[in-house]
Amino acid sequence: VTSIDATRILSFQRMSALPPGHLTQLLDRWGRGDAAAFDQLIADVYPELRAMASRYLSAGRSGTLQATVLVHDLYLRLLRQQ
């Protein structure tokens, strides 16, 4: 098992442990102006987003980007939508 595979497994386990509809509820609350819901949403999805970005970049699409930079860019874009 490579470190990327281990990260993928841990990330999948963490996301699948969330109750059904949890992320949808957080998105709904955030959409109604609940800043705490946004904070929880980021905490819940950040590891999965980071793992996805890492896999994407490890497939040779990186150039000079890093996975953390991609995820942080997404985070900033979400903040601008608030």
Side-chain angles (χ1 to χ4, degrees):
V1 176
T2 67
S3 64
I4 292 174
D5 291 335
T7 301
R8 183 181 294 163
I9 291 167
L10 290 173
S11 181
F12 176 76
Q13 289 172 339
R14 187 178 193 296
M15 290 297 290
S16 63
L18 296 173
H22 174 73
L23 297 178
T24 302
Q25 290 173 1
L26 290 174
L27 286 167
D28 181 55
R29 287 177 34 211
W30 174 43
R32 289 184 278 123
D34 184 347
F38 179 76
D39 293 341
Q40 185 61 52
L41 179 66
I42 294 300
D44 289 345
V45 301
Y46 184 88
E48 177 61 18
L49 292 174
R50 175 78 173 68
M52 289 171 64
S54 181
R55 288 191 301 272
Y56 178 83
L57 295 175
S58 70
R61 303 178 186 113
S62 66
T64 59
L65 289 175
Q66 294 179 340
T68 303
V69 173
L70 287 177
V71 176
H72 287 187
D73 182 61
L74 173 62
Y75 175 78
L76 292 173
R77 289 174 189 226
L78 287 171
L79 283 177
R80 281 188 227 125
Q81 290 183 10
Q82 280 187 319

